[in-house]
Amino acid sequence: LVWICSGQFPRPCANSEGLRTKECCPVWDGDGSPCGALSGRGFCTEVLVSEEPNGPQYPHSGIDDRERWPLAFFNRTCRCAGNYGGFNCGECRFGYWGTNCAEYRESVRRNIMTLSTDEQQKFISYLNLAKNTISRDYVISTATRAEMGENGENPMFSDINSYDLFVWIHYYVSRDTFLGGPGNVWKDIDFAHESAAFLPWHRVFLLHWENEIRKLTGDFNFTIPYWDWRGAQSCEVCTDAL
């Protein structure tokens, strides 16, 4: 799941070459090799996907780019070793830190209603910064794989800010399946919600979002606050301040 969520559309692979070769094994700047292979951080290899059949709620095959993800776009990607992570193995796995990703630290998430006014405003400022900063590492697709050409001659990707990247990821995994022709869609599918992936998909989604905010702000102690709405008589977070 971590590989799937992290492997959306890394900027270095969103081009004709990446689409034509179906390989997304970017160079890690630390040693100049794909996936940081020279430093033992990872290696470029075939993507492994489940061969289990689709559930009865999805009777199609070979129609949607999200089927057997990410094979419609890439069939070779970086597989990171040890505690390394990221699309080029240039980062650490969630929860690990340090030059060699050997340090483990737990992150504690807090109820937003227990944060001080200054802490709440810092959180809001981070969101505003993310909303106004183009993602350095990722882009989004603006067309289907077929529309980009058999050999990727017409790559269709777009910049997006670091906040809306995650709005888009959530949309992309949840949207209808396009069957061809105006309005011809299969609505009875939602890959992130109407399946066993509901809880783990969203957990990894939030970990990835939290990690991008940390990289953007340089605040590696940042954690996403939560609102405990159990027993709430009103929407406590529905305020001008929040």
Side-chain angles (χ1 to χ4, degrees), residues 134-196:
I134 296 298
S135 173
R136 181 189 64 184
D137 292 332
Y138 296 97
V139 294
I140 64 171
S141 67
T142 57
T144 66
R145 177 62 187 86
E147 290 172 319
M148 297 189 196
E150 184 177 351
N151 293 310
E153 57 268 20
N154 186 34
M156 299 176 73
F157 298 96
S158 176
D159 287 336
I160 195 166
N161 66 59
S162 294
Y163 184 99
D164 287 346
L165 169 66
F166 289 89
V167 177
W168 180 86
I169 289 174
H170 197 267
Y171 153 76
Y172 190 72
V173 77
S174 305
R175 66 162 171 76
D176 300 336
T177 289
F178 304 137
L179 300 178
N184 187 14
V185 298
W186 181 265
K187 293 180 178 294
D188 298 332
I189 188 63
D190 184 331
F191 289 106
H193 299 87
E194 298 168 2
S195 72

Side-chain angles (χ1 to χ4, degrees), residues 40-201:
R41 298 179 76 97
F43 54 96
C44 188
T45 188
E46 300 293 324
V47 175
L48 300 177
V49 299
S50 173
E51 298 296 336
E52 293 295 319
N54 296 323
Q57 73 272 32
Y58 187 71
H60 306 289
S61 179
I63 290 176
D64 196 300
D65 288 343
R66 298 167 298 176
E67 295 175 38
R68 305 180 76 230
W69 178 265
L71 296 187
F73 291 91
F74 308 113
N75 56 29
R76 286 177 61 81
T77 61
C78 292
R79 185 174 303 169
C80 302
N83 295 330
Y84 298 114
F87 60 77
N88 63 354
C89 303
E91 300 177 13
C92 298
R93 287 174 54 200
F94 299 132
Y96 289 88
W97 310 78
T99 303
N100 296 314
C101 301
E103 178 186 351
Y104 179 76
R105 279 196 279 169
E106 290 186 345
S107 295
V108 178
R109 299 190 178 89
R110 298 169 59 192
N111 187 330
I112 195 167
M113 304 312 297
T114 69
L115 302 182
S116 69
T117 300
D118 286 346
E119 289 172 328
Q120 290 180 354
Q121 287 307 301
K122 182 171 76 170
F123 173 54
I124 298 300
S125 73
Y126 283 0
L127 299 187
N128 286 332
L129 178 63
K131 191 77 173 178
N132 290 281
T133 304
I134 296 298
S135 173
R136 181 189 64 184
D137 292 332
Y138 296 97
V139 294
I140 64 171
S141 67
T142 57
T144 66
R145 177 62 187 86
E147 290 172 319
M148 297 189 196
E150 184 177 351
N151 293 310
E153 57 268 20
N154 186 34
M156 299 176 73
F157 298 96
S158 176
D159 287 336
I160 195 166
N161 66 59
S162 294
Y163 184 99
D164 287 346
L165 169 66
F166 289 89
V167 177
W168 180 86
I169 289 174
H170 197 267
Y171 153 76
Y172 190 72
V173 77
S174 305
R175 66 162 171 76
D176 300 336
T177 289
F178 304 137
L179 300 178
N184 187 14
V185 298
W186 181 265
K187 293 180 178 294
D188 298 332
I189 188 63
D190 184 331
F191 289 106
H193 299 87
E194 298 168 2
S195 72
F198 174 66
L199 292 178
W201 188 91

Side-chain angles (χ1 to χ4, degrees), residues 4-21:
I4 291 171
C5 188
S6 298
Q8 283 290 338
F9 294 103
R11 187 177 292 277
C13 305
N15 50 51
S16 292
E17 178 70 9
L19 293 173
R20 181 182 62 80
T21 62

